[in-house]
Amino acid sequence: MARQPVGVLGATSLVGVCLQQLLPENNWDVMAFSRQPITTRNTAHITWRQLAQPSAPDRANEKIDLWICAAPIWVLPEHFKLLSSYGIKRIVTLSSTSCITKKESTDASEQKIVQQLIEGESRVTAWAAANQIEWIILRPTLIYGLGRDKNISEIVRFIRRFGFFPLFGKATGLRQPIHARDVAATCIYTLKALNLKNRTYNLTGGETLSYREMVRRIFLALDRKPRLVTLPFWFFHWAVIAMRCLPRYRHWNSAMAARMNQDLVFDSTELQRQLNCSSGPFLLSAEDLP
Ligand SMILES: NC(=O)c1ccc[n+]([C@@H]2O[C@H](COP(=O)([O-])OP(=O)(O)OC[C@H]3O[C@@H](n4cnc5c(N)ncnc54)[C@H](OP(=O)(O)O)[C@@H]3O)[C@@H](O)[C@H]2O)c1
């Protein structure tokens, strides 16, 4: 079967790294973009290109119809001109269910991300509609994997450092973590499913479990006895303020604690039925630990 070209923005991201593996294995020739110069890593089926500064002219001399964006959706508008110069016809781009789950967050930085996601989505759909480009936005739930994510890996580091993990209340809020490889695979299936276009889909992991159970499984993956310490909210609030003095925990906030008891649950059965694929359960292997 002839190999097909695909452009990937955000090719160095966690999902992008999984795309770097899956796309060549599935007969795609990848043009991978980064702001960094990475030409030394060219392989038989991946060619790296450095993104020009937004103000510089892009000189594309190849045509690439199909694109995946695994960079934050709000940076995509910076590259509309580049994509148009390649003659883009169809794009699958990642957003996040955070634009729904963090909408009511009391934390200013989370509010900013929600705004960026919402504006990013609307700029992408308006641009695509104006240029007859087919678009699919996938909104994954919590992404984990390869020890590179900002959720599970952070819990792992905390447990390794302090030997316990603090929970607020019963921490029964439901979660559907999805492995980055499943997100990447779904991007590829969606790109090929030409009957799907101009829609936004939520994308979940294959298992729904409570926040408490998720943390318990992380202890087990680390081969440790689970030590879950339940804290009252006021204590959590002040502990978070203290933790924020450490650079690694600067982005922690008490809204995170409040969410431990909220169900953040979505349905991606329609998408997965149409693509004839499914996501795996929450499983942490050695390669997923930082
Ligand atoms: N982490 C989660 O739990 C989660 C959940 C749901 C959705 N998502 C979404 O999934 C996607 C990937 O997330 P991630 O955590 O894997 O990302 P990440 O590791 O933070 O990587 C960010 C990527 O974006 C690229 N990038 C950043 N600014 C850019 C710009 N101005 N122009 C071009 N590229 C730029 C970076 O490329 P270079 O540095 O190489 O240029 C890098 O590849 C994002 O869209 C995110 O919103 C994440």
Side-chain angles (χ1 to χ4, degrees), residues 142 152 155 159 165-177 207-222 224-230 260-263 281-284:
L142 181 164
I152 301 301
I155 300 177
I159 292 170
F165 195 77
L167 295 176
F168 162 52
K170 293 189 172 145
T172 51
L174 297 175
R175 296 293 181 276
Q176 298 163 310
E207 184 180 2
T208 303
L209 71 176
S210 70
Y211 193 95
R212 176 176 288 270
E213 174 61 13
M214 193 174 77
V215 177
R216 201 186 68 84
R217 298 258 193 104
I218 299 171
F219 273 95
L220 298 182
L222 288 170
R224 290 181 184 229
K225 188 170 178 292
R227 287 184 63 205
L228 306 169
V229 178
T230 304
M260 287 182 192
N261 291 290
Q262 284 169 17
D263 294 345
F282 178 51
L283 268 182
L284 282 172

Side-chain angles (χ1 to χ4, degrees), residues 183-196:
V183 177
T186 309
C187 287
I188 299 171
Y189 286 127
T190 310
L191 195 64
K192 288 194 297 191
L194 300 181
N195 56 322
L196 303 187

Side-chain angles (χ1 to χ4, degrees), residues 252-268:
W252 277 34
N253 59 66
S254 12
M256 291 174 173
R259 276 198 297 274
M260 287 182 192
N261 291 290
Q262 284 169 17
D263 294 345
L264 311 182
V265 177
F266 296 87
D267 185 3
S268 56

Side-chain angles (χ1 to χ4, degrees), residues 10 12-14 34-35 70-72 78-79 95-96 140-141 143 150-151:
T12 59
S13 70
L14 168 56
S34 170
R35 290 163 300 173
E78 289 172 30
H79 305 294
S95 177
S96 170
T141 48
I143 302 176
K150 299 172 195 100
N151 309 293

Side-chain angles (χ1 to χ4, degrees), residues 25-168:
E25 284 173 7
N26 288 280
N27 260 342
W28 296 86
D29 279 334
V30 183
M31 181 83 75
F33 290 85
S34 170
R35 290 163 300 173
Q36 320 305 324
I38 328 188
T39 46
T40 48
R41 275 203 260 141
N42 283 346
T43 63
H45 299 298
I46 303 183
T47 307
W48 285 91
R49 287 283 153 86
Q50 186 175 7
L51 287 163
Q53 297 303 313
S55 53
D58 291 302
R59 291 185 302 275
N61 47 17
E62 300 105 308
K63 287 287 164 218
I64 303 180
D65 294 352
L66 305 179
W67 288 77
I68 297 175
C69 175
I73 194 163
W74 60 84
V75 306
L76 191 46
E78 289 172 30
H79 305 294
F80 284 165
K81 258 173 52 186
L82 172 82
L83 300 184
S84 297
S85 70
Y86 277 96
I88 180 172
K89 296 209 166 68
R90 178 171 171 88
I91 186 164
V92 174
T93 182
L94 296 182
S95 177
S96 170
T97 50
S98 294
C99 68
I100 302 163
T101 56
K102 294 183 181 160
K103 215 169 189 170
E104 309 300 326
S105 171
T106 49
D107 180 76
S109 60
E110 290 189 348
Q111 273 295 336
K112 185 174 171 208
I113 289 176
V114 171
Q115 278 317 310
Q116 286 176 312
L117 287 167
I118 292 171
E119 280 170 34
E121 287 190 2
S122 78
R123 287 189 68 186
V124 168
T125 53
W127 164 74
N131 294 280
Q132 288 86 50
I133 297 161
E134 294 178 4
W135 59 272
I136 298 281
I137 294 176
L138 297 179
R139 290 179 177 160
T141 48
L142 181 164
I143 302 176
Y144 72 98
L146 312 187
R148 277 192 47 170
D149 63 276
K150 299 172 195 100
N151 309 293
I152 301 301
S153 293
E154 194 128 322
I155 300 177
V156 169
R157 286 195 197 92
F158 189 101
I159 292 170
R160 282 198 180 127
R161 185 167 187 173
F162 299 105
F164 73 98
F165 195 77
L167 295 176
F168 162 52

